[in-house]
């Protein structure tokens, strides 16, 4: 529930705001163009090998993306984030990108930048994205490639990032806070703030694998920082800690903490946004892969998913006392990593508390209290 604490531009600054005035719902969606990636990052919750033929065969084609974009725009979508895996692995990436923009959508891109070519840059200059967000895994070759487990990736990353920066497009930089790069996070932050005009965010919350791979989950768990390490990291960054205090510094009021509310989903997922996976499966958010919350767009329509499926799925209630009495009454719930999606990845259930997340919330609350 505690987010990245970084303000985005007001929606009113973007074209297509008139859709709101016209009475249509304004929303965004993520399009995971592929689960394949040319890197093999230790912490990744989704990546498959770049050459995975079965995964490639399942991916949405350009015509399917066109139909999705057309229907989404008709329903009120204004913004689409292209993510992965690594989207630039798709040889038809340029065509997909232009299709989305051609439907009136503002398009953002998440990429590791290692595959950015001069051809990509020329396209981005001609058809500017809303922004391009690049992940920085380390400030040095040694750390970067310890995380990516891919020789030569650091040089490719620097080359691709330099191309994007020279192009003049809006580049945003981020990092995952891992045990493997913890010692370089100050240097990573300095690098990012220097190269991205002051914008930088990092995330210490590592999702477990959507496919439940036990070996890969073991790697992810080994990379997680302890609650105390998370708090020390946040306190060492005045911008991050100040934003945390401004956003979540006060305990949740008692009147808002009651077990009378039995709804599991108390956030905004599926109301203003959704995620479409590489094979056309719609789900409310990036981390939620529970079968009861996945809609196959190849067998139905986005209109049905948006108007019927998502409202019905997200209306789920619980009678589990562990959730109602603990999470439902916790004054520090706004400082917690907990949500139904994360709980499901951690425990297999949507409504079970996660002790490790409770510890993060408690450590954050103590840090905020003590200044």
């Amino acid at each position: 529930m505690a987010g990245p604490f970084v303000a985005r531009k007001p929606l009113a600054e973007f074209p297509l705001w008139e859709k709101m005035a016209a009475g249509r719902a304004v929303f965004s969606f993520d399009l995971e163009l592929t689960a394949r990636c040319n890197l093999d990052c230790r912490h990744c919750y989704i990546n498959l090998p770049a050459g995975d033929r079965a995964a490639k065969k399942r991916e949405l084609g350009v015509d399917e993306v066109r139909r999705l974009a057309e229907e989404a725009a008709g329903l009120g979508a204004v913004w689409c984030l292209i993510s992965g895996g690594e989207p630039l692995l798709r040889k038809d990436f340029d065509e997909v990108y232009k299709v989305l923009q051609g439907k009136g959508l503002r398009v953002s891109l998440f990429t590791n930048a290692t595959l950015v070519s001069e051809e990509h840059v020329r396209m981005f200059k001609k058809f500017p994205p809303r922004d391009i967000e690049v992940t920085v895994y380390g400030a040095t070759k040694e750390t970067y490639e310890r995380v990516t487990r891919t020789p030569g990736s650091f040089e490719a990353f620097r080359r691709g990032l330099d191309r994007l920066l020279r192009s003049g497009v809006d580049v945003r930089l981020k990092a995952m806070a891992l045990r493997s790069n913890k010692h370089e996070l100050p240097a990573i932050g300095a690098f990012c703030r220097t190269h991205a005009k002051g914008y930088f965010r990092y995330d210490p919350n590592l999702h477990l694998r959507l496919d439940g791979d036990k070996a890969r989950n073991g790697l992810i768990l080994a990379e997680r920082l302890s609650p105390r390490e998370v708090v020390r990291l946040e306190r060492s960054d005045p911008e991050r800690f100040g934003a945390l205090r401004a956003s979540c510094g006060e305990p949740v009021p008692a009147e808002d903490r009651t077990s009378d509310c039995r709804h599991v989903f108390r956030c905004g997922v599926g109301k203003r946004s959704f995620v479409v996976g590489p094979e056309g499966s719609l789900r409310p958010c990036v981390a939620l892969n529970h079968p009861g919350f996945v809609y196959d767009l190849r067998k139905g329509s986005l209109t049905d998913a948006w108007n019927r499926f998502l409202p019905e799925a997200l209306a789920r209630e619980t009678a589990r006392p562990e959730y109602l009495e603990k999470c439902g009454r916790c004054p520090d719930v706004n400082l917690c990593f907990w949500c139904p999606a994360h709980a499901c990845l951690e425990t297999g259930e949507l409504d079970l508390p996660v002790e490790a997340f409770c510890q993060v919330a408690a450590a954050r609350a103590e840090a905020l209290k003590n200044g």
Side-chain angles (χ1 to χ4, degrees), residues 25-332:
V26 174
F27 63 89
S28 65
F29 67 98
D30 294 8
L31 175 60
E32 295 172 334
L33 205 54
T34 180
R36 297 177 294 120
C37 189
N38 60 316
L39 305 182
D40 189 25
C41 295
R42 307 173 68 87
H43 64 286
C44 190
Y45 67 94
I46 190 174
N47 69 313
L48 297 174
D52 190 318
R53 293 183 179 181
K56 184 176 181 180
K57 189 175 181 179
R58 293 193 298 267
E59 292 166 1
L60 293 174
V62 174
D63 287 342
E64 290 177 303
V65 172
R66 181 178 289 107
R67 288 194 294 272
L68 168 65
E70 189 172 77
E71 194 171 3
L75 288 169
V78 299
W79 171 43
C80 174
L81 166 64
I82 303 176
S83 65
E86 173 47 53
L88 297 186
L89 267 178
R90 290 276 300 253
K91 295 189 182 302
D92 56 1
F93 171 81
D94 289 14
E95 190 174 357
V96 169
Y97 178 86
K98 292 174 185 176
V99 161
L100 292 167
Q101 281 212 342
K103 297 303 179 182
L105 298 167
R106 292 298 302 269
V107 181
S108 296
L109 171 66
F110 281 4
T111 177
N112 59 40
T114 60
L115 300 178
V116 173
S117 66
E118 292 295 347
E119 290 75 16
H120 290 130
V121 168
R122 283 194 288 272
M123 182 184 69
F124 293 141
K125 290 177 73 172
K126 186 174 182 180
F127 305 103
R130 179 194 180 202
D131 51 56
I132 297 178
E133 193 161 285
V134 178
T135 305
V136 181
Y137 299 113
T140 64
K141 177 179 183 292
E142 179 183 15
T143 298
Y144 189 97
E145 294 185 2
R146 171 173 170 74
V147 174
T148 66
R149 305 194 297 179
T150 307
S153 57
F154 182 69
E155 182 180 349
F157 151 71
R158 289 303 308 267
R159 182 171 58 247
L161 178 60
D162 286 346
R163 285 172 174 164
L164 290 174
L165 293 173
R166 288 197 304 269
S167 76
V169 301
D170 185 2
V171 177
R172 298 165 178 255
L173 299 179
K174 64 180 178 183
M176 299 302 297
L178 314 170
R179 193 157 301 283
S180 286
N181 68 9
K182 181 182 71 168
H183 63 291
E184 280 192 5
L185 283 171
I188 293 171
F191 173 89
C192 292
R193 289 186 168 110
T194 298
H195 288 80
K197 301 178 183 178
Y199 178 91
F200 168 61
R201 71 178 178 91
Y202 63 84
D203 191 351
N205 183 23
L206 306 185
H207 302 169
L208 294 182
R209 294 279 298 191
L210 294 187
D211 61 12
D213 186 299
K214 291 183 179 181
R216 295 302 297 255
N217 277 346
L219 284 174
I220 294 170
L221 291 171
E223 287 293 336
R224 282 183 175 174
L225 302 181
S226 70
R228 294 296 176 187
E229 287 173 318
V230 170
V231 170
R232 281 199 296 271
L233 174 63
E234 292 174 336
R235 293 195 69 171
S236 71
D237 186 329
E239 182 180 337
R240 167 87 177 207
F241 195 67
L244 176 62
R245 180 182 295 281
S247 300
C248 309
E250 296 297 326
V252 177
E255 59 269 22
D256 294 334
R257 292 184 271 123
T258 170
S259 59
D260 293 338
C261 178
R262 296 176 178 269
H263 290 292
V264 178
F265 290 88
R266 302 187 184 184
C267 57
V269 297
K271 297 177 181 177
R272 291 293 188 208
S273 63
F274 57 83
V275 177
V276 177
E279 69 297 332
S281 60
L282 178 146
R283 57 192 196 274
C285 74
V286 69
L288 185 58
N289 203 37
H290 185 287
F293 296 85
V294 177
Y295 182 98
D296 188 348
L297 290 173
R298 281 174 163 159
K299 296 180 179 179
S301 69
L302 178 57
T303 301
D304 180 53
W306 184 248
N307 291 330
R308 181 194 60 80
F309 175 78
L310 284 175
E312 290 178 1
L314 296 173
R316 180 172 298 200
E317 297 185 352
T318 179
R320 192 185 295 272
E322 300 98 314
Y323 168 80
L324 296 174
E325 296 301 321
K326 191 166 188 176
C327 300
R329 295 185 178 276
C330 180
D332 301 322

